[in-house]
Amino acid sequence: MQPTYVETDPQKLIDSFFAESEGRFSAEDEKKIRTAWNYLLEKTGNLKRKCGLPYYLHPMRVAKLLNQSQLDADTIIAGFFHNILEVDSNCLSEIRELFGDSVANICNGTAKITSLKINSKTLREADSIRKMLFAMVDDIRVILVKLADRLDRMRNLRSVSPEAQRAVAKEVIDIWCPLASRLGMADVKSEMEDLSLKYSNPEAFQQIKTIVSQKKEERAEYLNTAVKKIYTATEKAGIQVSITSRAKHFYSIYQKMRKRNKEPSELYDLLALRIICKETSDCYTLVGIVHGLWKPMDGRFKDYIAMPKANGYQSLHTTVICEGKPLEIQIRTENMHTIAEHGVASHWLYKKGTNHDMVKAENLSIINQLKKLRTEKLNDEAFFNELKNELLGDSIFVFTPKGDVKELPAGANAIDFAYAIHSAVGEKIVGAKADGKIIPLTVPLKNTQIIEILTNPQAHPTQSQYKAVKTSKARQKIHSWLMENDPTFVDKDAIAKREAEIAANTLHSQQIAEQRAQEGRHRKHKKDEINYTGRIRIDDTTNFLVTIAQCCNPKPGDPIVGYVSRNRGITVHEASCLTFLRIPNIEERSVRVEWDTSPKVHDEKENAKETKVKEHAKEKSAEKTRFPRQR
């Protein structure tokens, strides 16, 4: 197999870049980009990769990926420089002076991410890392540059060892693919997923590739027939459309195999058509046309236009039975397609034929459903800052010195962080460092700080720590220690809560006592006619475990109350008993109890039961007499 030719001439590379840009950069922007390219060559022109190729090829490929996403000149330049601080750690101020704050900040942000130790053992950790990545950048274009960097790395992963390939593939599938999905960048996400599968599970990848490539001509003929039918029907309806066909992405097929426990050859819905139209109203007309051509599969129609996905994706999905096989069809407008492919990057699209003015915000679908645009004009910095804030919510993400990420509520301090690591660390904390500098224990932590906890074996939790912490885990652990070990500790919150409970219980029990007293006065003149059995009744039954409280020892006829106790069934008190007032959560635990006053029925039942017991005892006695135990 002949090696693929790689262009390495710097001048040809930059000329090729602008030839692919379709003239969308102004003369000023083009000059700035060429100057940046020359600066990169000045810094790295003599450097070689391990494979022997020039260092600058990777930055150029990253810049081309960003250009394909229609990103602005500053982001393209940042693509050139995204790893330049590894070559010259002192050139950031020079970049800021030559190319501006925006480029310098993106370079600095990508350098921070590159230096991270990203190890995700669980899905929860991976999500924390993704949120942390948003937290640590002031401009989300940093994430876009890093996504382009990861995609190019995946495309050129052949030269590293299998172990390194699997490690990079895991990082990409855990961190970067979901990030691309969250930002609505379907094209980047799908390609990175397929490449990750190729290196993490090459056997499955090759198996799927073989199945998909089989009967290629037959599949093409099948899709062409379906496309012709749609074109014919849309021409009659007067709707202008463009249709593309494709096989499903390998990773998508792999996920279906795992979910359904099937071989690739057993999956039929591996093909899809995409219909692009002009207007949103046309999308719904096209669904009717498609369903008129073929029978739709039940439950497979999804309207993501009326109800977009969380990342802003909009489209209509339906699956039909075409010539006996399932065929998935997606229907969307051109704007929807742009956002589906490029996601958040689509906010950087330029109007054709104008002086590179930004597309007005009101002409774009809302990215990620994270924000509502309040003004007609939205500058880039404002958009990305607001997007970042929406993605993060009210959490902060900080590192351990080993690079593990901990998610904490906003306002959490070093004590909370210590308990998040381990209770034993929290109990022995005496100090903390943030990014190598000593900080007060109670100062709120900031996003992306590296926190080091200082401990002492003689240290222990204090009341001031209890007041300072924000997390429930830290409060609970400190509270337990203080209750057990500090005789001076008074939990004012707990006391106030207890007093409130007692007041509520008192009111509740008083209401019950008054109700029972009224019932007692009502029955007083009939007292001689009432025969109490001494049993307690709930509704129509007396068949349950009852404990008569010894503190008040209620007598038959006294107003009584009952509550569910943990080990003694129903405990019964006098309605006015002071002990009853102090029982926690009494309103939730109380049950309505009464003295039983149906002696006749119960006496008959008891007499019958006693008779049976006596008869059984007589039979046992007779048995012993007839069959004495042998010694």
Side-chain angles (χ1 to χ4, degrees):
M1 184 176 175
Q2 291 286 352
T4 305
Y5 172 74
V6 178
E7 179 62 70
T8 59
D9 181 84
Q11 188 60 46
K12 289 182 179 179
L13 287 170
I14 192 66
D15 290 342
S16 171
F17 172 86
F18 284 108
E20 296 172 8
S21 300
E22 299 178 355
R24 68 182 192 87
F25 293 110
S26 67
E28 183 182 348
D29 283 343
E30 181 172 342
K31 181 181 178 182
K32 189 175 180 182
I33 291 171
R34 287 185 181 274
T35 303
W37 176 244
N38 292 331
Y39 182 84
L40 176 69
L41 295 175
E42 179 187 324
K43 292 288 183 181
T44 67
N46 297 324
L47 298 179
K48 302 284 185 182
R49 303 279 181 184
K50 289 182 180 179
C51 60
L53 291 172
Y55 178 94
Y56 54 75
L57 290 182
H58 168 65
M60 172 53 80
R61 292 193 301 263
V62 169
K64 284 189 174 184
L65 285 170
L66 297 168
N67 189 36
Q68 289 167 13
S69 293
Q70 307 278 305
L71 287 158
D72 68 326
D74 282 352
T75 312
I76 301 297
I77 294 169
F80 287 154
F81 298 159
H82 72 280
N83 278 344
I84 200 170
L85 294 182
E86 289 184 335
V87 178
D88 183 353
S89 58
N90 299 316
C91 68
L92 188 63
S93 58
E94 196 173 37
I95 290 172
R96 192 179 301 278
E97 183 180 345
L98 291 172
F99 303 102
D101 289 339
S102 181
V103 173
N105 292 337
I106 297 173
C107 292
N108 192 38
T110 54
K112 281 184 183 179
I113 294 175
T114 302
S115 66
L116 289 180
K117 301 173 185 176
I118 298 179
N119 298 311
S120 61
K121 301 180 184 67
T122 66
L123 289 175
R124 182 185 179 90
E125 284 184 9
D127 189 54
S128 292
I129 292 169
R130 289 193 291 273
K131 291 178 180 175
M132 176 273 302
L133 290 173
F134 283 122
M136 71 183 302
V137 297
D138 294 320
D139 189 332
I140 290 187
R141 283 175 292 180
V142 171
I143 301 294
L144 302 182
V145 170
K146 202 62 190 174
L147 280 168
D149 167 63
R150 291 292 87 185
L151 177 55
D152 186 68
R153 296 285 185 194
M154 291 301 295
R155 287 177 175 179
N156 296 275
L157 208 56
R158 294 182 300 275
S159 59
V160 302
S161 68
E163 293 77 14
Q165 288 174 351
R166 286 192 290 272
V168 174
K170 184 180 188 306
E171 177 191 313
V172 166
I173 206 72
D174 285 351
I175 307 300
W176 298 101
C177 290
L179 256 178
S181 178
R182 184 174 291 189
L183 293 173
M185 304 175 72
D187 53 344
V188 174
K189 168 183 171 286
S190 297
E191 186 177 353
M192 287 200 300
E193 284 178 341
D194 285 355
L195 290 169
S196 294
L197 178 63
K198 179 179 179 180
Y199 292 110
S200 63
N201 194 339
E203 295 83 5
F205 180 87
Q206 195 58 47
Q207 185 184 15
I208 295 168
K209 184 178 179 180
T210 302
I211 294 294
V212 171
S213 62
Q214 284 174 352
K215 300 181 180 179
K216 190 173 182 181
E217 292 180 4
E218 180 183 325
R219 189 171 67 248
E221 185 179 344
Y222 164 78
L223 289 173
N224 286 336
T225 302
V227 168
K228 285 178 182 177
K229 286 186 178 181
I230 297 173
Y231 272 130
T232 300
T234 54
E235 283 178 14
K236 287 181 180 178
I239 300 176
Q240 187 178 350
V241 299
S242 62
I243 305 172
T244 55
S245 60
R246 63 176 179 84
K248 291 279 185 74
H249 291 286
F250 288 6
Y251 188 79
S252 173
I253 297 171
Y254 176 67
Q255 291 293 76
K256 286 179 183 289
M257 288 168 55
R258 294 180 62 188
K259 188 175 180 181
R260 303 179 191 176
N261 196 24
K262 291 181 180 291
E263 294 294 316
S265 57
E266 298 178 82
L267 297 173
Y268 295 102
D269 52 341
L270 303 181
L271 307 174
L273 292 178
R274 182 174 294 142
I275 306 174
I276 310 295
C277 58
K278 298 289 185 183
E279 304 294 335
T280 301
S281 58
D282 292 340
C283 295
Y284 293 96
T285 304
L286 287 166
V287 170
I289 290 173
V290 168
H291 287 179
L293 293 172
W294 302 287
K295 182 180 179 181
M297 287 182 66
D298 188 38
R300 296 296 295 270
F301 174 71
K302 295 176 182 176
D303 187 347
Y304 293 119
I305 294 178
M307 298 183 68
K309 289 185 179 182
N311 60 12
Y313 175 89
Q314 288 185 294
S315 188
L316 299 179
H317 289 196
T318 186
T319 302
V320 297
I321 302 298
C322 176
E323 298 182 12
K325 299 175 185 177
L327 175 63
E328 182 182 301
I329 299 176
Q330 300 173 355
I331 303 169
R332 61 179 73 144
T333 66
E334 292 173 353
N335 279 346
M336 292 175 194
H337 181 63
T338 299
I339 290 172
E341 294 300 299
H342 301 295
V344 72
S346 63
H347 266 271
W348 295 82
L349 290 175
Y350 292 117
K351 289 182 179 179
K352 291 182 179 179
T354 63
N355 294 325
H356 296 171
D357 295 329
M358 291 294 294
V359 174
K360 286 187 178 179
E362 70 267 21
N363 294 332
L364 291 171
S365 297
I366 298 175
I367 299 300
N368 300 317
Q369 296 298 294
L370 294 174
K371 63 193 303 308
K372 292 182 179 178
L373 303 177
R374 298 180 180 86
T375 59
E376 290 191 0
K377 293 183 179 179
L378 187 68
N379 67 57
D380 308 334
E381 184 179 356
F383 167 72
F384 280 110
N385 283 338
E386 191 164 345
L387 174 61
K388 184 185 76 171
N389 293 335
E390 291 287 349
L391 285 165
L392 285 172
D394 295 324
S395 296
I396 61 168
F397 300 87
V398 288
F399 294 106
T400 67
K402 292 182 179 180
D404 295 326
V405 181
K406 297 295 179 183
E407 180 178 359
L408 296 169
N413 55 40
I415 306 168
D416 293 297
F417 178 78
Y419 277 97
I421 296 172
H422 197 281
S423 300
V425 177
E427 286 187 1
K428 302 302 178 185
I429 185 172
V430 292
K433 292 182 179 179
D435 299 327
K437 297 179 181 178
I438 293 289
I439 59 169
L441 289 180
T442 56
V443 167
L445 301 180
K446 298 177 182 178
N447 267 319
T448 72
Q449 286 180 319
I450 299 173
I451 306 299
E452 181 183 352
I453 300 300
L454 310 177
T455 60
N456 187 314
Q458 307 304 317
H460 59 75
T462 65
Q463 295 187 36
S464 60
Q465 288 180 355
Y466 179 70
K467 294 175 183 177
V469 292
K470 302 295 182 184
T471 58
S472 57
K473 179 180 179 180
R475 286 186 65 82
Q476 178 191 347
K477 294 294 183 182
I478 295 173
H479 183 275
S480 298
W481 192 94
L482 293 173
M483 290 293 287
E484 188 174 340
N485 298 283
D486 187 351
T488 67
F489 176 61
V490 178
D491 189 346
K492 294 181 179 178
D493 292 338
I495 292 172
K497 183 179 178 182
R498 185 77 188 103
E499 289 176 349
E501 282 182 356
I502 291 173
N505 290 345
T506 302
L507 179 62
H508 181 69
S509 59
Q510 283 176 346
Q511 291 172 346
I512 294 175
E514 289 174 7
Q515 183 181 348
R516 296 292 188 271
Q518 288 177 0
E519 292 171 357
R521 285 193 294 271
H522 180 67
R523 290 196 297 263
K524 190 173 182 180
H525 67 282
K526 296 184 178 180
K527 188 173 182 180
D528 294 338
E529 302 172 21
I530 298 174
N531 293 311
Y532 293 102
T533 66
R535 300 184 188 86
I536 304 296
R537 180 162 57 85
I538 299 177
D539 294 329
D540 296 327
T541 181
T542 60
N543 187 23
F544 51 84
L545 178 63
V546 174
T547 301
I548 300 296
Q550 297 304 304
C551 54
C552 53
N553 197 21
K555 300 294 188 295
D558 292 339
I560 55 174
V561 290
Y563 71 95
V564 179
S565 57
R566 289 181 177 84
N567 302 315
R568 293 175 293 174
I570 304 297
T571 300
V572 177
H573 288 260
E574 270 196 59
S576 59
C577 177
L578 293 175
T579 302
F580 177 72
L581 304 184
R582 298 185 175 88
I583 299 169
N585 304 323
I586 192 59
E587 194 165 355
E588 298 172 9
R589 298 169 63 188
S590 62
V591 291
R592 181 179 177 84
V593 294
E594 295 177 333
W595 293 107
D596 183 54
T597 58
S598 50
K600 185 175 181 181
V601 175
H602 289 283
D603 286 349
E604 286 175 357
K605 287 182 180 178
E606 289 299 323
N607 290 338
K609 190 185 291 183
E610 287 174 9
T611 302
K612 283 185 179 180
V613 171
K614 287 177 182 178
E615 288 175 355
H616 184 66
K618 284 180 181 179
E619 287 178 9
K620 287 286 183 184
S621 178
E623 256 183 50
K624 287 180 182 178
T625 304
R626 289 198 304 272
F627 307 106
R629 185 187 301 173
Q630 293 186 7
R631 297 183 180 277

